[in-house]
Amino acid sequence: MSDGELNSHGKSMVLSSEPENGFTDALPSLDSDIAMNDFLLQQPSKGVDEHLIEFSEALRTVAKALRRVAEGKASAQAEAAEWKRKYELERARNLQRENKVAELPYEDDNRCEHEMIENVRNESVLQTRSNGQSEKCCGKHGICSHEVLRDGERDPGSKILHDKYVRKASFRLCWGCNGSGQHKHDIVSFERGNITTAERSSKQISLKWESPPQTVLILTKPNSTSVRHLCAEMVRWLKDQKKMNIFVEPRVRTELLTESSNFNFVQSWENEKEILLIHTKVDLVVTLGGDGTVLWAASMFKGPVPPLVPFSLGSLGFMTPFQSEHYRECLDSVLRGPISITLRHRLQCHVIRDEAKDELETEEPILVLNEVTIDRGISSYLTFLECYCDSSFVTSVQGDGLILSTTSGSTAYSLAAGGSMVHPQVPGILFTPICPHSLSFRPLILPEYVTLRVQVPFNSRGHAWASFDGKDRKKLSAGDALVISMAPWPVPTACQVDSTNDFLRSIHEGLHWNLRKTQSFDGPRETL
């Protein structure tokens, strides 16, 4: 090997090796700095720019999707926790009531009698369903209630004295025209004469009394002289001719006693607790007024509602088929039975506040017969709402507001906002926007078994306001939500003919639906 080769190899080894004093050679470092400066001075290629832009857009889309998923999951978890808390609270209350009832002596007074009967009623219904005895309680058609409702009687070992309890009239419901139809034990259950439904029937429903009604509640339109005179006349007739017990509102009772002291037999209530138990005493409800009186009657009952007979004395009558001039004939027919009824379902609305920290800050559910409306109120900003159906995102509402209506309320505010008229026995919830900020936003009809959640997002510019059947207005701030589902207690209203005939007559007479002059026959005709 030559000296040149040795020198060259030695130089390369020296350049690539680290001396003993710890300092590296400066030539490789200088070369790397020059290469880095040259790379930075070069203009980036167009392909690299486009690739980075597409990549950033993809990352932004993924981040937005993940954010929506996280928000939906958090909302679902919060809602599930809320309902679970309510269930545990109600269960604890029921257990506490049962323990109180068990501790009562045999000859106690009547103050807890209604609670005892409610517990006994639930136990009897569950036992009847589990043992399959409900199939034996019927005649040829329909559903009989005497297996559950035996005029207040219980087992021989029971401590409840049925003589102390005001017996409610029993009845049964039949599906199909003229009282014919199939059994519907899985749909309707009878609990002391109360109706509870899990779903609606697609056929005409008939109510037949199995024992005569004894107690009637009369609700009237306020500030009307004609209604006051009619109420007094009806009270006398029901007491003298039908020998019935009569309940009225405290205001009406005061008016009757002012007119004559002979009305001292009329009963009423004194506080809200007695109103909660009024359905256990009343067999029938009579309303004198318009649709507003029917809404007021429905709002009084937070649970089961007795059969309701509405008389028309107002300006509009979509739910009041009976004429007040013929109230004797109408009530005779209703008390004699059988009668056709319409099961008008109600919406159960629950406001969930974002700042609520414990159960004391939650609000009681509100039942509506027509609709719940969410609007922007006096704010100049558009309403911004996020709507969910069960676990699915529906849409974001930007506009004047949103209407969630029952099919009974389809001829009310929902119709004025562009919704369709729907037969009251069609199962569904109407989803109708109010002046939406999008021409493609059209109304929907959702199945009645879903749970809807309407939430005011945190980035909303203003607040929203919720009203329930036109009253009880509540403010919804950012983060608040309104949960809507179908209530298990319908409002059974009596029909003059049947539900379809009454519905068609109401839209013809109330709305003059499709009313036009007949085309002349003396014009040109088609020739063959």
Side-chain angles (χ1 to χ4, degrees):
M1 182 178 297
S2 64
D3 294 339
E5 293 176 352
L6 287 173
N7 292 333
S8 63
H9 286 290
K11 183 178 179 181
S12 63
M13 292 176 62
V14 170
L15 291 175
S16 61
S17 62
E18 183 178 352
E20 294 180 358
N21 56 8
F23 294 95
T24 60
D25 196 347
L27 292 178
S29 176
L30 182 61
D31 294 339
S32 63
D33 292 341
I34 295 173
M36 180 63 68
N37 292 330
D38 293 339
F39 177 77
L40 293 176
L41 292 175
Q42 293 178 0
Q43 295 293 333
S45 62
K46 184 177 181 181
V48 174
D49 275 349
E50 293 177 352
H51 176 71
L52 291 177
I53 292 174
E54 292 178 358
F55 183 69
S56 63
E57 291 293 336
L59 288 180
R60 189 177 292 107
T61 303
V62 171
K64 186 183 296 184
L66 291 176
R67 184 171 65 255
R68 289 182 178 178
V69 171
E71 292 176 355
K73 183 178 180 180
S75 300
Q77 290 177 350
E79 181 181 349
E82 175 66 18
W83 287 109
K84 182 178 180 181
R85 185 196 60 76
K86 290 176 57 181
Y87 170 76
E88 295 294 339
L89 181 61
E90 187 66 22
R91 182 181 179 184
R93 290 175 179 174
N94 292 336
L95 292 176
Q96 186 178 5
R97 290 176 182 176
E98 292 178 359
N99 294 334
K100 289 182 179 180
V101 171
E103 294 174 0
L104 290 176
Y106 178 76
E107 297 181 355
D108 201 355
D109 55 4
N110 295 335
R111 59 186 177 182
C112 295
E113 188 172 10
H114 295 295
E115 296 180 2
M116 298 165 66
I117 291 173
E118 291 290 333
N119 294 330
V120 172
R121 179 186 66 190
N122 295 333
E123 294 175 1
S124 62
V125 171
L126 293 176
Q127 292 177 359
T128 303
R129 290 181 178 177
S130 61
N131 297 333
Q133 296 176 356
S134 59
E135 298 294 336
K136 301 178 182 179
C137 70
C138 289
K140 296 182 179 180
H141 304 288
I143 307 175
C144 302
S145 62
H146 53 266
E147 287 294 331
V148 177
L149 178 66
R150 295 183 177 178
D151 294 334
E153 296 180 0
R154 285 210 58 210
D155 297 334
S158 175
K159 297 181 180 181
I160 299 179
L161 298 177
H162 65 275
D163 292 335
K164 293 183 179 180
Y165 183 68
V166 178
R167 299 180 181 179
K168 286 196 60 175
S170 59
F171 52 83
R172 67 174 182 176
L173 300 185
C174 303
W175 272 257
C177 299
N178 299 325
S180 62
Q182 56 184 348
H183 297 283
K184 291 286 183 178
H185 294 278
D186 55 336
I187 293 180
V188 175
S189 64
F190 292 86
E191 304 176 357
R192 291 273 166 202
N194 303 324
I195 303 175
T196 303
T197 60
E199 58 179 317
R200 255 186 263 190
S201 171
S202 60
K203 298 181 180 180
Q204 300 289 348
I205 305 176
S206 176
L207 183 147
K208 181 179 180 181
W209 301 103
E210 294 185 339
S211 59
Q214 299 178 359
T215 307
V216 61
L217 169 64
I218 301 178
L219 300 175
T220 64
K221 177 182 178 181
N223 303 323
S224 176
T225 305
S226 60
V227 172
R228 184 162 57 249
H229 293 333
L230 177 63
C231 178
E233 183 180 347
M234 183 179 294
V235 167
R236 291 194 191 96
W237 182 77
L238 288 173
K239 182 64 177 179
D240 297 338
Q241 302 297 325
K242 300 300 180 181
K243 310 300 181 183
M244 299 189 70
N245 303 319
I246 301 172
F247 277 82
V248 296
E249 299 175 80
R251 169 185 58 84
V252 178
R253 187 174 188 275
T254 302
E255 294 174 354
L256 293 175
L257 291 177
T258 303
E259 180 179 347
S260 174
S261 59
N262 296 329
F263 289 105
N264 54 4
F265 60 87
V266 177
Q267 305 179 55
S268 185
W269 53 85
E270 297 181 356
N271 50 47
E272 295 291 334
K273 294 182 179 180
E274 294 184 9
I275 297 179
L276 296 178
L277 296 175
I278 194 66
H279 69 277
T280 62
K281 303 176 182 179
V282 174
D283 300 320
L284 195 68
V285 179
V286 175
T287 63
L288 304 178
D291 289 346
T293 310
V294 178
L295 296 177
W296 166 247
S299 66
M300 288 185 55
F301 297 91
K302 308 303 180 182
V305 185
L308 192 147
V309 184
F311 286 91
S312 177
L313 284 165
S315 57
L316 290 178
F318 293 101
M319 293 185 288
T320 54
F322 296 98
Q323 300 298 321
S324 59
E325 295 82 4
H326 311 288
Y327 75 89
R328 292 182 176 87
E329 295 80 0
C330 295
L331 290 179
D332 270 332
S333 176
V334 169
L335 296 175
R336 184 173 59 253
I339 58 173
S340 295
I341 65 170
T342 300
L343 293 182
R344 302 182 182 274
H345 275 221
R346 297 183 288 179
L347 294 179
Q348 186 173 5
C349 309
H350 193 89
V351 178
I352 301 178
R353 300 293 182 183
D354 177 66
E355 66 271 10
K357 298 179 178 60
D358 52 38
E359 61 184 21
L360 298 179
E361 298 184 16
T362 59
E363 302 179 10
E364 293 295 328
I366 302 174
L367 299 178
V368 297
L369 181 57
N370 266 359
E371 76 279 316
V372 52
T373 305
I374 307 173
D375 56 67
R376 63 181 182 175
I378 62 174
S379 175
S380 60
Y381 297 107
L382 295 178
T383 301
F384 185 25
L385 305 171
E386 291 181 350
C387 305
Y388 299 86
C389 179
D390 289 337
S391 58
S392 302
F393 175 75
V394 180
T395 187
S396 295
V397 177
Q398 285 184 299
D400 283 352
L402 177 68
I403 301 172
L404 298 172
S405 170
T406 63
T407 52
S408 294
S410 65
T411 54
Y413 195 0
S414 176
L415 180 63
S420 177
M421 292 186 293
V422 186
H423 191 286
Q425 297 231 179
V426 174
I429 302 175
L430 279 66
F431 187 93
T432 308
I434 306 174
C435 298
H437 200 255
S438 172
L439 294 179
S440 62
F441 197 168
R442 294 298 181 226
L444 296 176
I445 299 179
L446 301 171
E448 66 174 353
Y449 57 81
V450 301
T451 298
L452 300 175
R453 186 175 80 254
V454 181
Q455 185 169 356
V456 181
F458 289 100
N459 58 345
S460 177
R461 291 186 176 183
H463 303 293
W465 295 84
S467 59
F468 308 89
D469 277 342
K471 58 181 184 299
D472 297 334
R473 199 163 173 83
K474 293 182 179 293
K475 182 180 179 180
L476 300 179
S477 303
D480 294 345
L482 183 64
V483 179
I484 302 100
S485 60
M486 193 66 71
W489 307 285
V491 179
T493 58
C495 302
Q496 188 176 19
V497 181
D498 55 55
S499 60
T500 301
N501 185 284
D502 289 1
F503 172 70
L504 294 177
R505 188 180 67 254
S506 68
I507 63 175
H508 280 295
E509 296 178 356
L511 297 176
H512 304 290
W513 180 61
N514 198 26
L515 183 63
R516 64 181 299 273
K517 292 183 178 181
T518 305
Q519 189 174 8
S520 176
F521 289 95
D522 58 356
R525 298 187 180 184
E526 182 181 1
T527 59
L528 297 178

